[in-house]
Amino acid sequence: MSLYRSVVWFAKGLREYTKSGYESACKDFVPHDLEVQIPGRVFLVTGGNSGIGKATALEIAKRGGTVHLVCRDQAPAEDARGEIIRESGNQNIFLHIVDLSDPKQIWKFVENFKQEHKLHVLINNAGCMVNKRELTEDGLEKNFAANTLGVYILTTGLIPVLEKEHDPRVITVSSGGMLVQKLNTNDLQSERTPFDGTMVYAQNKDTTNLLVAKESFYCLPWTIF
């Protein structure tokens, strides 16, 4: 990581990613913006069994939205689904077990989903950070497969479903960590440099932002945060 990127990361991090950054930003929040009900709107949240994904799914459920959770591991995903139903009182919470590092699984899921469901909002939240270089069955570096290629396949596959609905959205959760890495299109699978899981994750976020924005820009509104 260059000195310039270190300084940018440090300065932006202090200003935006700390408690004081949140306290400063929240002064501009408008509470009324969140006081909405969304019955009839359908959301798909990847990685919805924990963290930001679970919190997002729960808030959507509390407001009457239908939520499809896309998760990798059955047991924690079932637990999360049950908790969301109990806390929200919303029964329209559906679970799909998909490994987002496996392109074949994603395509199969997308084809089935298109036949059975509608969708208004896709929230690409899931991500991983594997600190030792691992390859999937398809020979793909695992971080790249899940954080970049998987997001790209899922998004492009579901755009036709989204386009059928009024006011569709694609929201992709990024990371401030991407600021520490310059996008290197010549080494997307981290084969040519010493492997560092944190830097690979940052590179993945750079690449994902570019690909998802490019594919959805002319089709429907998208947001990266």
Side-chain angles (χ1 to χ4, degrees), residues 56-85:
T56 300
L58 176 59
E59 292 303 316
I60 292 170
K62 286 180 177 179
R63 289 161 174 76
T66 295
V67 182
H68 291 270
L69 302 173
V70 172
C71 306
R72 183 186 60 187
D73 299 317
Q74 183 88 38
E78 291 282 6
D79 290 344
R81 176 178 178 269
E83 186 177 333
I84 291 170
I85 291 174

Side-chain angles (χ1 to χ4, degrees), residues 8-220:
V8 170
W9 164 250
F10 183 75
K12 189 174 180 65
L14 282 180
R15 187 173 68 251
E16 298 182 9
Y17 305 147
T18 60
K19 180 179 179 181
S20 60
Y22 170 78
E23 290 173 345
S24 175
C26 73
K27 295 175 183 177
D28 296 322
F29 292 175
V30 181
H32 179 71
D33 288 346
L34 296 178
E35 295 174 5
V36 296
Q37 293 300 312
I38 47 177
R41 296 279 287 179
V42 181
F43 297 74
L44 189 152
V45 183
T46 66
N49 61 292
S50 63
I52 294 174
K54 182 180 177 183
T56 300
L58 176 59
E59 292 303 316
I60 292 170
K62 286 180 177 179
R63 289 161 174 76
T66 295
V67 182
H68 291 270
L69 302 173
V70 172
C71 306
R72 183 186 60 187
D73 299 317
Q74 183 88 38
E78 291 282 6
D79 290 344
R81 176 178 178 269
E83 186 177 333
I84 291 170
I85 291 174
R86 287 193 300 272
E87 291 193 24
S88 68
N90 186 342
Q91 296 294 321
N92 294 317
I93 313 298
F94 304 95
L95 177 60
H96 310 271
I97 301 302
V98 184
D99 183 349
L100 291 177
S101 69
D102 186 336
K104 294 186 290 294
Q105 279 195 39
I106 301 170
W107 279 120
K108 182 178 180 180
F109 163 72
V110 167
E111 289 305 311
N112 290 335
F113 191 91
K114 288 194 295 187
Q115 299 299 319
E116 300 174 4
H117 305 285
K118 62 180 182 179
L119 183 64
H120 296 89
V121 182
L122 167 62
I123 302 177
N124 290 311
N125 164 76
C128 72
M129 186 190 296
V130 180
N131 289 310
K132 182 179 180 181
R133 193 170 194 275
E134 297 180 16
L135 300 182
T136 67
E137 292 182 357
D138 297 306
L140 300 167
E141 192 278 312
K142 198 155 193 175
N143 291 294
F144 170 79
N147 297 333
T148 301
L149 184 60
V151 175
Y152 178 78
I153 293 173
L154 182 67
T155 302
T156 54
L158 291 175
I159 282 178
V161 186
L162 289 158
E163 287 180 314
K164 295 178 181 179
E165 307 301 330
H166 173 67
D167 193 26
R169 302 277 165 167
V170 173
I171 299 171
T172 299
V173 179
S174 186
S175 169
M178 71 179 184
L179 297 173
V180 304
Q181 275 288 87
K182 182 179 180 180
L183 180 60
N184 181 5
T185 57
N186 294 317
D187 191 22
L188 295 178
Q189 297 207 63
S190 310
E191 300 172 289
R192 303 178 182 181
T193 55
F195 193 88
D196 181 323
T198 302
M199 295 300 105
V200 169
Y201 179 81
Q203 175 79 193
N204 293 163
K205 290 300 183 178
D206 271 334
T207 311
T208 302
N209 292 346
L210 177 65
L211 290 174
V212 172
K214 177 180 179 294
E215 288 302 319
S216 59
F217 182 78
Y218 294 106
C219 303
L220 48 114

